[in-house]
């Protein structure tokens, strides 16, 4: 029994409030029990059998303890508060420090989950009456957990794990487990498989993106045109059978002759559907680049009058034949035409929420856009086509929770669980009422709804069935083979296709695994439609059916991820391996490495050149016009110096004329100037003789 007291700290800052937990009635352990506990802990440490579980998973704890594993309990919130751990995540994020796994597994919880945590503590006390497991958990408090089961995906997103640690989540799994991520991921299906996502996933748009918002508006208008044709043909031929026998709402018009609408409304619907069919068949390439578009506001108002108010559109015989032909052609191009009804209902969902929170159904375009464009909603919501013709059991809607397990992403390995369960709504199905009690099968929603007065007595009070009960019901209806021939193969194909599309987006890690919960709904033709995929599906046994099945799926999950490591031939329970991809070779990444290999290049030194070589090069550089025109040296003139400045001279006739001082000869040597002066002096002293060059010039 845990008693929680709040008192002022005796030693510390005055007025500081601390949370103190006193444990009463702790059983005493005999020496033999203490010795056995110590030996089991030493063996678990040696064999790396330390595990950590966060959340309400008593079955996982019990099964791991039976295998010789010892639990390392996550720090309690009270201990974190005393140590300042309440702001641990904030401080680590501010300083750029990687948060520890223990801090992520014991983050602060909302008030509703705090009550669940207290219930979990009470359950743990019942499972450990002698306190032996609690003692062993204290002995391994400093050990590394090698098996981690958490209900939070952050355990794999922001933690650095060792190669020998196992965790039940993959990082970056939002592309598969969020409604927005699944909407984007399945659009890449043609790159992975020759299949159309519209055959198993209802049309979905992100209302935060401008282009997708406009695409949704166009889709809503086209669907309204098709629905108008179907309603007009059914009413004209007397074949109209409503899906819901419930009475009209109180705001419906009084009973009397239904108002007639002009045939122009049907003609506009025929024109729109014909243009849509031509565009899908690529027959509009040579047509008008700007086809006629009706006034959508007036068209939708007329459509609302037909569908919601019961107005009757006038239909000629020619329009009737043309309408049948168009609907038949559209049925071959649109896989979702059969599940569309007449009211054009769409469902708005938060992009990344669970437990049915924030989901709203609507059948008017302005209402849908207003709901999606409300305060704080822009960019976070998706709109999806509602399955208006679902398979009903005793007039009530239901969906199916189906588990599957991914143990590796390269090679992709998918396991499918043979058992599943059904979730019923509390009230009979009706498209005239779009409230949660009629259309949302989630147990978190239905637990707050009252059953309808016209509810069938054979429906379960807890709103859950097993798949075996569904098979028995189908056999009574004369459809005994559709479960194994249509429904289960369709669910397997949808799961494999969705996982393959996200293979390159989810971060693969050897040793990790993840259990998913997929929600399916079936159409009148028993074809499954994938609604969403959930991470960390609930394992709470709130009913007799879920209590049995959730315990079984946890038991078989441990068989696949733990027992098969030591014995590949061990039984895997109800899990079936439905997809095993061939190994894709990958290049081992060794980190960033910048290195230049090779030898440096050196500039070669110039060899010393002689005067003769320099003169030859000068002659080679002479222009072609100067070839053969070189004048002979006249007597009395100074010889031409190779590579030196030429001194102008005149022929020697008689007395030597007075010469101007010669310019100093520049040299690269330090004493070149002095030698130039000596050359000038020698030229002056030579008298009448010819001027001879200084010997240094020859060098």
């Amino acid at each position: 029994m845990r008693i929680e007291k709040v008192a002022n700290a005796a030693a510390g800052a005055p007025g500081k409030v601390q949370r103190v937990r006193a444990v009463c009635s702790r059983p005493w352990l005999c020496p033999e029990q203490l010795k056995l506990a110590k030996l089991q802990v030493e063996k678990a440490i040696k064999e790396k059998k330390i595990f950590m579980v966060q959340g309400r998973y008593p079955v996982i704890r019990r099964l791991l303890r039976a295998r010789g594993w010892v639990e390392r309990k996550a720090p309690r919130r009270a201990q974190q508060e005393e140590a300042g751990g309440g702001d641990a995540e904030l401080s680590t994020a501010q300083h750029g420090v990687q948060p520890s796994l223990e801090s992520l597994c014991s983050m602060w919880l909302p008030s509703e989950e705090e009550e669940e945590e207290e219930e979990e503590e009470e359950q743990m006390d019942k499972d450990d009456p002698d306190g032996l497991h609690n003692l062993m958990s204290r002995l391994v408090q400093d050990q590394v957990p090698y098996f981690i089961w958490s209900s939070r995906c952050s355990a794999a997103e922001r933690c650095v794990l060792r190669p020998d640690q196992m965790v039940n989540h993959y990082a970056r799994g939002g592309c598969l487990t969020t409604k927005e991520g699944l909407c984007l991921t399945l659009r890449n299906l043609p790159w992975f498989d020759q299949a159309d996502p519209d055959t198993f996933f209802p049309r979905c748009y992100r209302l935060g993106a401008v282009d997708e918002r406009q695409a949704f508006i166009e889709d809503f208008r086209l669907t309204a045109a098709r629905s108008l044709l179907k309603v007009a043909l059914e009413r004209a031929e007397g074949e109209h059978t409503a899906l819901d026998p419930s009475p009209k709402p109180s705001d419906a018009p009084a009973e009397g002759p239904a108002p007639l609408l002009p045939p122009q409304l049907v003609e506009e619907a025929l024109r729109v559907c014909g243009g849509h069919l031509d565009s899908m068949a690529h027959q509009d390439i040579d047509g008008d680049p700007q086809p006629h578009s009706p006034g959508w506001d007036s068209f939708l108002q007329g459509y609302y009058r037909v569908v919601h108010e019961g107005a009757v559109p006038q239909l000629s015989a020619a329009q009737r034949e043309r309408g049948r032909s168009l609907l038949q052609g559209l049925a071959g191009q649109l896989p979702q035409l059969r599940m569309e009804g007449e009211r054009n209902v769409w469902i708005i969902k938060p992009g990344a929420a669970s437990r049915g929170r924030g989901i709203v159904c609507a059948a008017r375009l302005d209402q849908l856009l207003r709901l999606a464009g409300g305060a704080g909603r822009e960019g976070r919501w998706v709109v999806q086509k509602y399955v208006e013709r679902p398979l009903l059991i005793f007039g009530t809607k239901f969906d199916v929770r189906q588990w599957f397990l991914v143990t590796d992403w390269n090679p992709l390995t998918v396991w499918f669980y043979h058992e599943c369960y059904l979730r019923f709504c509390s009230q009979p199905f009706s498209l005239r009422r779009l409230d949660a009690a009629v259309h949302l099968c989630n147990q978190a929603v239905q637990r707050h709804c009252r059953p309808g007065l016209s509810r069938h007595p054979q429906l379960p009070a807890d709103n859950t069935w097993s798949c075996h009960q569904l098979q028995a019901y189908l056999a009574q209806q004369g459809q005994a083979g559709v479960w194994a021939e249509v429904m289960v193969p369709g669910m397997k194909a949808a799961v494999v296709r969705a996982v393959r599309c996200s293979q390159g987006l989810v971060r693969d890690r050897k040793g990790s695994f993840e259990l998913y919960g997929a929600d399916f709904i079936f159409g009148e033709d028993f074809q499954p439609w994938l609604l969403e995929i959930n991470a960390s599906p609930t394992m709470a046994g709130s009913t007799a059916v879920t209590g049995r099945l959730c315990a079984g799926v946890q038991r078989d999950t441990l068989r696949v991820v733990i027992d098969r490591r030591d014995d590949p031939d061990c039984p895997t329970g109800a899990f079936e391996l439905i997809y095993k991809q061939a190994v894709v070779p990958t290049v081992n990444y060794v980190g960033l490495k910048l290195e230049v290999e090779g030898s440096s290049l050196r500039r070669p030194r110039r060899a010393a050149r002689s005067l003769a070589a320099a003169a030859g090069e000068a002659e080679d550089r002479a222009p072609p016009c100067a070839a053969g025109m070189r004048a002979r040296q006249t007597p009395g003139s100074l010889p031409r110096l190779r590579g030196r400045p030429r001194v102008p001279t005149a022929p020697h006739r008689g007395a030597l004329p007075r010469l101007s001082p010669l310019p100093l000869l520049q040299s690269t040597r330090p004493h070149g100037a002095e030698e130039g002066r000596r050359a000038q002096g020698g030229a002056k002293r030579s008298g009448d003789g010819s001027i001879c060059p200084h010997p240094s010039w020859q060098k």
Side-chain angles (χ1 to χ4, degrees), residues 374-618:
R377 295 191 173 210
E378 188 71 24
R380 300 188 304 111
W381 296 73
V382 298
V383 60
Q384 191 174 33
K385 186 66 186 74
Y386 185 78
V387 181
E388 300 183 48
R389 295 185 178 273
L391 178 64
L392 304 178
I393 296 180
F394 300 122
T396 306
K397 180 186 174 182
F398 69 95
D399 67 1
V400 171
R401 168 60 58 89
Q402 178 64 59
W403 294 293
F404 67 94
L405 177 68
V406 176
T407 56
D408 201 345
W409 287 92
N410 187 21
L412 182 60
T413 308
V414 185
W415 300 78
F416 189 85
Y417 202 67
H418 283 170
E419 299 282 345
C420 60
Y421 65 94
L422 282 65
R423 303 179 299 184
F424 288 91
C425 291
S426 300
Q427 299 182 9
F429 182 76
S430 172
L431 290 176
R432 300 183 186 275
R433 298 175 51 201
L434 300 180
D435 52 352
V438 179
H439 300 281
L440 300 185
C441 304
N442 197 293
Q443 289 180 318
V445 175
Q446 294 299 325
R447 70 177 61 175
H448 303 290
C449 301
R450 295 181 179 180
L453 298 178
S454 58
R455 181 182 174 89
H456 199 278
Q458 296 187 22
L459 289 174
D462 54 7
N463 293 327
T464 56
W465 259 12
S466 66
C467 60
H468 301 289
Q469 292 174 292
L470 174 61
Q471 296 178 52
Y473 171 80
L474 294 175
Q476 293 177 1
Q477 303 298 320
Q479 303 290 342
V482 295
W483 174 256
E485 298 174 2
V486 180
M487 304 171 80
V488 172
M491 290 191 293
K492 290 181 179 179
V495 165
V496 172
R497 289 166 179 170
V499 173
R500 289 186 62 188
C501 291
S502 58
Q503 184 177 5
L505 303 175
V506 179
R507 182 182 297 174
D508 181 26
R509 179 184 177 274
K510 298 299 180 181
S512 296
F513 64 95
E514 187 153 5
L515 180 67
Y516 300 96
D519 293 340
F520 287 93
I521 190 173
F522 298 95
E524 292 179 334
D525 55 354
F526 306 103
Q527 292 291 338
W529 294 96
L530 175 63
L531 301 180
E532 61 183 9
I533 297 177
N534 300 276
S536 298
T538 178
M539 291 294 158
S542 56
T543 65
V545 175
T546 58
R548 178 179 61 84
L549 294 181
C550 291
V553 73
Q554 294 176 78
R555 178 187 66 251
D556 295 339
T557 300
L558 295 182
R559 289 177 176 177
V560 174
V561 301
I562 292 182
D563 298 346
R564 287 187 77 253
R565 292 190 307 172
D566 301 329
D567 183 11
D569 298 329
C570 71
T572 57
F575 272 113
E576 175 193 359
L577 181 62
I578 62 172
Y579 189 80
K580 180 66 178 291
Q581 191 182 47
V583 179
V584 179
T586 58
V587 180
N588 293 330
Y589 178 70
V590 296
L592 189 62
K593 181 181 180 181
L594 299 178
E595 182 178 352
V596 178
E597 297 181 356
S599 60
S600 60
L601 298 178
R602 297 182 179 179
R603 176 181 294 181
R605 294 183 179 180
R606 285 187 177 184
R609 297 184 302 172
S610 62
L611 285 176
E617 293 179 1

